[in-house]
Amino acid sequence: EPEKEPEVVLDSRFYKGKKEYWVKWQGLPLSRCSWESVSVLDKWKDMVDEFEKSRQKEVTGKRKRVGTAVGTTAKKAREGR
């Protein structure tokens, strides 16, 4: 059987103290995604790095929105709305 290649990393988690990635494999349906350790994805480190970079942007963006929402709520409270 030929070696399968990841299509995209969809998520990450810590399991038993080790980082794992939820991987969609090329040519396989989403139902065949699997949690894989960092060592399994070593050949595709660029894909993992890209996922981590996009995840960091997502987290940073959420923090900004939360800060804005809190600030807006506080302003409305001060104005008696």
Side-chain angles (χ1 to χ4, degrees):
E1 180 179 312
E3 183 180 25
K4 55 186 178 178
E5 292 191 25
E7 183 176 322
V8 65
V9 175
L10 299 171
D11 202 359
S12 65
R13 71 177 183 184
F14 281 94
Y15 181 72
K16 295 185 178 183
K18 296 188 180 192
K19 187 125 189 199
E20 293 184 333
Y21 294 93
W22 186 240
V23 177
K24 160 75 171 83
W25 299 97
Q26 287 184 8
L28 295 177
L30 283 172
S31 62
R32 298 284 308 271
C33 290
S34 58
W35 288 106
E36 301 295 340
S37 68
V38 173
S39 61
V40 169
L41 299 172
D42 193 49
K43 287 171 60 174
W44 300 281
K45 187 177 180 336
D46 290 345
M47 185 180 292
V48 172
D49 290 346
E50 188 174 313
F51 168 79
E52 291 293 350
K53 192 182 298 182
S54 70
R55 176 60 61 94
Q56 188 59 41
K57 285 180 184 176
E58 183 180 302
V59 169
T60 301
K62 284 182 181 176
R63 285 186 187 140
K64 287 180 183 173
R65 284 194 295 275
V66 168
T68 302
V70 169
T72 302
T73 302
K75 184 178 177 184
K76 285 180 181 178
R78 284 193 306 270
E79 295 172 355
R81 291 191 217 172

